[in-house]
Amino acid sequence: ICTTLIFLDRRENTFCMPMHCGSSMLSGFTATAILAYLYGQPSPTMAQTVSAGFIAIALGFLSPLHHLDRLFAKLRGARRERLFLFVCSGNTCRSPMAAAIANAEIAARMRVRLDKLQTVNARALSAGVSARVGEPLTGEAHDALRSLDVPVQAHAARNLTPEMAQRAERIFCMTNAVREAVIQMLPAVANKTYCLDAASDIPDPIGKGMDAYLNCARRIHDLVRLRFDELDLKAA
C-alpha cells in the first residue's frame, strides 16, 4: 500500500527512495510491536522505538508537510471568490454600468456595505473585446447609474484577458456578437459565457442621448437581478 501510494505521487523521482525504505522499516517496526502485544514476542528495543520516531518525523517532512500547499489551495477553493464578469465592446458604458449595478445588487443581497464587498467573497468586473484601454466611463453612463442610486467608482476601460475569464463564475455579454467574440478568443470558457439577455441584444447607447442610457441602465438592472435569482445569489 505504501509503495503504491509513493509511486502514484507526482514527486516520486525526488522522494520515492527515502519514502520507500522508510515506510518499509516502519512497517517492520509496527509488525514487531503488534506481535509483541498480541503473542508475547520480543518487543522493539528503546533504540528501535526512538529510531522509528525519527523516521516518522523525517517522512512527515518529506511528504505530508509538503502537501500543505495543496490542502490550503483546496480550502481556498471551497471559499473561492464568486466573480461575475460583464463584457461589451468598448467597456465604457454597458459593461461597466452592469458591473456597478451588479456590485450594488450583491452588496444588497449579502447585507453588507458596498465598500465591504470583499468580505462576502463575491463581486463583479467588466471588460471589453475591443476597448481603447484607459478610456473613462462615459458621462451619460455615470449619470444613468446615479439615477438608479448606484454608486459610481473610478473606471478605466480594459480588454478581456484569459486570467479574468478563467476566474469568472459566469461571463455575461451584452450582445450575441460579443459572446461569439469571447468564445472565439477563449474557447475554454464557452460553457460559462452567456448573453445577459438571452432573448435579444442590449444595444450600445453611445451617441443616442440620455434617454437611451437610462433605458439601457434600467434594462441591465432588471436583467442582473434576474440572472442573480437564477444563480440563487443570496446571503448564506
Side-chain angles (χ1 to χ4, degrees), residues 8 11-12 130 145 162 191 223 226 232:
L8 287 176
R11 300 162 306 131
E12 62 171 293
S130 57
L145 288 174
N191 64 338
L223 289 166
L226 174 63
D232 196 28

Side-chain angles (χ1 to χ4, degrees), residues 19 65 80 135 204:
M19 288 294 292
L65 294 182
R80 183 173 55 189
E135 286 287 305
D204 193 340

